[in-house]
């Protein structure tokens, strides 16, 4: 009797999946995100877009030879072709006065970037938000927070 019930359940699930009456992927997204309307994982709308993650950000400064933060180094999981300073937003949550400058590529693979910054008048947190350039797909919002420092010379 147990085998019959088990196989009946398997058949019912397979049938529901086959006819589209059970969206397990949507249910999984809802479970991960905490409910409908707040899905944190998006489907790639363009199969030709490269899926990339913003892995981290580092702020220099805080040392005797470089007391104030002058640059933010950003790194990604893969090449981010076409990334410009315009794709990067700095949210000054710590009231530091930070201003965005020029963005340069640090490696041939275009995974590591350096963003020049200026105007820092105090230490505090800065949120770095990266928008995907054309041909790049971010499955999640790409945001990192970093602490910047100020040390009068």
């Amino acid at each position: 009797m147990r085998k019959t019930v088990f196989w009946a359940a398997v058949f019912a699930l397979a049938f529901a999946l086959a006819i589209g009456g059970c969206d397990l992927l949507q249910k999984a997204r809802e479970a991960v995100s905490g409910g409908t309307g707040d899905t944190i994982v998006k489907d790639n709308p363009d199969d030709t877009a490269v899926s990339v993650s913003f892995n981290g950000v580092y702020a220099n400064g805080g040392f005797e030879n470089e007391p104030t933060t002058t640059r933010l180094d950003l790194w990604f999981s893969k090449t981010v072709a076409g990334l410009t300073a315009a794709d990067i937003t700095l949210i000054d949550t710590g009231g530091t006065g930070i201003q965005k400058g020029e963005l340069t590529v640090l490696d041939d693979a275009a995974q590591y970037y350096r963003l020049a910054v200026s105007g820092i008048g105090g230490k505090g947190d800065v949120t770095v938000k990266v928008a995907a350039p054309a041909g790049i797909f971010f499955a999640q919002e790409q945001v990192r927070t970093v602490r910047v420092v100020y040390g009068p010379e």
Side-chain angles (χ1 to χ4, degrees):
M1 178 68 177
R2 283 187 181 168
K3 286 184 179 179
T4 304
V5 171
F6 172 77
W7 287 111
V10 169
F11 177 77
L13 178 60
F15 182 74
L17 290 172
I19 65 169
C22 182
D23 189 351
L24 293 179
L25 181 59
Q26 182 61 33
K27 295 297 180 193
R29 286 181 178 155
E30 290 173 12
V32 168
S33 67
T36 59
D38 189 25
T39 304
I40 60 170
V41 178
K42 298 182 288 187
D43 291 325
N44 187 340
D46 177 5
D47 290 337
T48 63
V50 178
S51 184
V52 178
S53 294
F54 176 22
N55 289 343
V57 59
Y58 165 78
N60 75 321
F63 302 102
E64 187 175 326
N65 61 339
E66 51 179 24
T68 301
T69 299
T70 58
R71 68 179 187 265
L72 302 178
D73 292 341
L74 296 79
W75 62 97
F76 298 85
S77 62
K78 296 179 186 172
T79 300
V80 186
L83 185 70
T84 67
D87 298 318
I88 300 168
T89 302
L90 301 180
I91 303 165
D92 191 1
T93 56
T96 67
I98 193 168
Q99 298 295 314
K100 179 173 58 170
E102 182 180 336
L103 181 71
T104 55
V105 180
L106 294 181
D107 68 326
D108 292 337
Q111 286 181 260
Y112 300 92
Y113 289 83
R114 177 162 291 157
L115 180 66
V117 296
S118 62
I120 297 173
K123 65 180 176 181
D125 290 338
V126 172
T127 299
V128 180
K129 187 174 184 178
V130 182
I136 301 295
F137 173 74
F138 292 144
Q140 299 179 34
E141 186 175 47
Q142 301 301 303
V143 176
R144 299 286 181 267
T145 300
V146 66
R147 188 140 184 94
V148 298
V149 294
Y150 172 73
E153 298 179 40

